[in-house]
């Protein structure tokens, strides 16, 4: 069944790479099975993102639709199917004088003709890897990335956190076999299936004939080695799921919706692959005294009317504690004062923003008789 990947991600057909990435992150966070989301929906989201985030795959999809990536899709009657337009490649695809789709082609660098990147395109269309792409993919897969929300207080986001503990429940290298998949005391030897190469050749029947490709060995998953006896804890996969308390350092200057990448702290990959990464999406709690605008801090200070008129000094609260602020005479309410270098530290460079203090004044709720008398005198004098 054809799938509309743009509709699945909720983006337009001309969406940019950044828009596609943002849409996927938002929806994946919402539908992740670990957070109670729908597994089928999450699978569709991941499939759509894998296609649309890759320029080559996206181009193939835009031309042929999702059927181009359906492993079960076969050629139409007579071998033509919906891809008849491919008959016109320079030099043709016929082999041994047979029909245009009756030959055998080798996209893995063997004794057949090597069509380079074309093998990758066809691999994507028919659901197998081939050509240069298969030669690059000789190692095991990569562990999944993890995305988490992390809440910080205003001052924590401003100045950073030297040691923040985060609890994760994820795949780690197996504690029994240390990740090699072998039962302790048994040997790890070259894989009999691939002869230690980590790859095997396989044939795939397509509308173009039988295409021979080089794929990751299914027995050793690309490692080239296999345990004589699989680990009894992880069953040879080399990973187990358990809780971890991770200690991370949060740099100064982070703000809401920024993402901090912790390399290699995602899910461990089975069969000896590289671990994924951990992405911490920052959420900064509101502060009762301060607001943030870029790297500047904004606050207000209530100043007695007499000081606004006559001038003087007040104490204001900053991220560094209380500091004196000089108010010149004849200052109007709403005037901004700039405290240089008292703002948020810059995330990727030295220095800090400024603290902008807006002065206001409030009428006192209660006045003494003496205060009222003085105000009456000022009123009579036109003040």
């Amino acid at each position: 069944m054809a799938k509309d990947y743009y509709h699945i991600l909720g983006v337009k057909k001309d969406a940019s790479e950044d828009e596609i990435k943002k849409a996927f992150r938002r929806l994946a966070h919402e539908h992740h099975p670990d957070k109670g989301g729908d597994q089928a929906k999450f699978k569709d989201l991941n499939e759509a993102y894998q296609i649309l985030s890759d320029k080559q795959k996206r181009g193939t999809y835009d031309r042929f639709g999702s059927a181009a990536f359906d492993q079960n899709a076969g050629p139409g009657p007579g071998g033509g199917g919906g891809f008849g337009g491919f008959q016109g490649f320079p030099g043709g695809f016929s082999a041994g004088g047979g029909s245009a789709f009756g030959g055998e082609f080798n996209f893995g660098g063997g004794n057949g003709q090597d069509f380079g990147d074309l093998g990758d395109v066809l691999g994507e269309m028919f659901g197998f890897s081939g050509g240069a792409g298969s030669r690059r993919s000789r190692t095991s897969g990569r562990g999944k990335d993890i995305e988490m929300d992390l809440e910080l207080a205003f001052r924590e986001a401003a100045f950073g956190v030297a040691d923040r503990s985060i609890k994760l429940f994820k795949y780690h290298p197996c504690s029994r076999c240390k990740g090699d998949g072998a039962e302790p005391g048994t040997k790890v030897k070259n894989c009999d299936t691939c002869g230690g190469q980590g790859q095997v050749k396989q044939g795939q029947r397509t509308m173009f004939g039988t295409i021979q490709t080089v794929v990751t060995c299914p027995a050793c998953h690309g490692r080239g080695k296999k345990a004589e006896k699989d680990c009894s804890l992880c069953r040879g996969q080399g990973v187990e799921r358990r809780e971890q308390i991770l200690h991370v350092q949060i740099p100064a200057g982070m703000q809401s919706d920024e993402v901090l990448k912790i390399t290699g702290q995602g899910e461990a990959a089975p069969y000896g692959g590289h671990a994924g990464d951990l992405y911490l999406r920052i959420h900064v709690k509101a502060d009762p005294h301060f607001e943030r605008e870029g790297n500047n801090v904004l606050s207000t200070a209530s100043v007695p009317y007499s000081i606004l008129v006559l001038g003087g000094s007040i104490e204001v609260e900053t991220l560094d504690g209380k500091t004196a602020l000089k108010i010149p005479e004849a200052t109007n309410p709403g005037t901004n004062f700039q405290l240089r270098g008292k703002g948020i530290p810059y995330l990727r460079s030295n220095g800090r923003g400024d603290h902008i203090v807006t002065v206001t004044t409030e009428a006192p709720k209660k006045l003494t008789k003496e205060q009222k008398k003085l105000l009456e005198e000022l009123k009579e004098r036109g003040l």
Side-chain angles (χ1 to χ4, degrees), residues 273-287:
H274 295 290
D277 300 323
L278 171 64
Y279 293 88
L280 299 177
R281 185 171 295 278
I282 302 300
H283 300 277
V284 182
K285 293 190 290 186
D287 188 272

Side-chain angles (χ1 to χ4, degrees), residues 97-269:
S99 70
F101 301 118
E104 179 175 306
F105 308 97
N106 188 320
F107 290 93
N111 57 8
Q113 190 173 0
D114 189 352
F115 289 89
D117 290 338
L118 178 59
D120 291 338
V121 176
L122 296 179
E124 291 169 3
M125 289 170 56
F126 295 104
F128 56 85
S129 59
S134 66
R135 292 195 292 272
R136 289 191 294 268
S137 181
R138 296 194 57 174
T139 57
S140 298
R142 181 178 178 276
K144 292 181 179 179
D145 294 332
I146 299 174
E147 183 173 334
M148 290 183 60
D149 294 318
L150 181 64
E151 191 174 62
L152 299 176
F154 193 92
R155 279 186 168 86
E156 287 181 323
F159 295 120
V161 182
D163 187 354
R164 171 59 64 89
S165 297
I166 298 174
K167 183 182 291 187
L168 298 172
F169 190 70
K170 64 173 186 174
Y171 282 107
H172 294 77
C174 175
S175 59
R176 180 171 178 82
C177 67
K178 309 306 179 186
D180 67 7
E183 182 69 14
T186 63
K187 295 181 179 180
V188 177
K189 60 179 184 178
N190 280 347
C191 174
D192 294 332
T193 302
C194 65
Q197 297 299 309
Q199 295 177 316
V200 293
K201 291 183 179 180
Q202 72 174 21
Q204 179 84 14
R205 291 185 59 83
T206 73
M207 55 184 282
F208 298 102
T210 300
I211 296 178
Q212 191 176 72
T213 62
V214 178
V215 299
T216 300
C217 175
C220 67
H221 303 277
R223 290 185 296 179
K225 296 182 179 296
K226 201 172 186 308
E228 287 184 337
K229 182 179 180 182
D230 287 342
C231 172
S232 58
L233 178 60
C234 67
R235 299 182 179 180
Q237 294 190 26
V239 293
E240 62 170 324
R241 197 168 176 84
R242 64 175 185 268
E243 186 178 281
Q244 176 192 15
I245 302 298
L246 180 67
H247 296 274
V248 299
Q249 182 176 357
I250 311 299
M254 297 291 290
Q255 58 183 319
S256 286
D257 289 331
E258 283 193 305
V259 177
L260 179 63
K261 177 182 177 181
I262 313 295
T263 303
Q265 291 297 337
E267 300 272 15

Side-chain angles (χ1 to χ4, degrees), residues 6 12-16 19 58:
Y6 292 104
K12 296 180 180 179
K13 193 170 182 179
D14 59 353
S16 66
E19 289 172 331
R58 185 177 180 179

Side-chain angles (χ1 to χ4, degrees), residues 303-317:
V303 182
Y305 180 72
S306 60
I307 293 181
L308 289 179
V309 174
L310 301 175
S313 182
I314 63 170
E315 274 194 340
V316 294
E317 185 71 32

